[in-house]
Amino acid sequence: VQLVESGGGLVQAGGSLRLSCAASGFSLDYIAIGWFRQAPGKEREGVSCINSLNGRTYYPDSVKGRFTFSRDNAKNTLYLQMNNLEPEDTAVYYCAIGTLYSGSYCEPYEYDHWGQGTQVTVSS
């Protein structure tokens, strides 16, 4: 099982980035999948998760309308499109999958496999 993120970088406020997460060793069907971020000194938080039971996508208010979670099952790849980025979005971003929980709460404890993370820095 391996998850590899890419696409992070430095962008000015108002700009966009698209993160990718290539998955290998398992199928992305019928499991919880999500994107998380962790800023220095802060806890890891969910920014978008797909519930494995009903397929619904969750976004917290902080990113709703700006971030879009998508997937390409043929390529076994996840994407996070981030638009209108703000300095507060600066963090290390991780993709994750969960095999034990549905991911209903978009909380880190529901996920048991993680990528190595990719840095996103938004300058003001």
Side-chain angles (χ1 to χ4, degrees):
V1 175
Q2 189 175 21
L3 299 169
V4 179
E5 300 101 336
S6 62
L10 173 64
V11 64
Q12 288 187 333
S16 299
L17 284 174
R18 188 176 82 154
L19 306 183
S20 300
C21 173
S24 60
F26 57 91
S27 170
L28 293 176
D29 293 328
Y30 310 116
I31 59 174
I33 51 179
W35 286 95
F36 294 79
R37 68 185 180 187
Q38 188 164 19
K42 295 187 177 181
E43 294 186 353
R44 192 168 296 189
E45 63 172 347
V47 295
S48 186
C49 296
I50 295 179
N51 187 317
S52 65
L53 294 179
N54 57 29
R56 292 177 180 172
T57 306
Y58 163 82
Y59 301 96
D61 289 343
S62 58
V63 307
K64 195 175 294 182
R66 301 187 298 120
F67 288 15
T68 304
F69 187 173
S70 62
R71 61 197 290 177
D72 185 333
N73 287 346
K75 295 182 179 180
N76 226 32
T77 300
L78 309 175
Y79 302 97
L80 184 68
Q81 178 67 44
M82 306 185 294
N83 297 327
N84 195 21
L85 283 160
E86 304 169 352
E88 293 75 22
D89 297 317
T90 295
V92 178
Y93 284 70
Y94 301 88
C95 61
I97 66 164
T99 61
L100 302 178
Y101 298 92
S102 65
S104 301
Y105 301 103
C106 203
E107 293 285 348
Y109 77 84
E110 300 177 282
Y111 294 80
D112 48 354
H113 295 282
W114 295 82
Q116 83 287 356
T118 184
Q119 176 71 44
V120 172
T121 303
V122 185
S123 63
S124 57

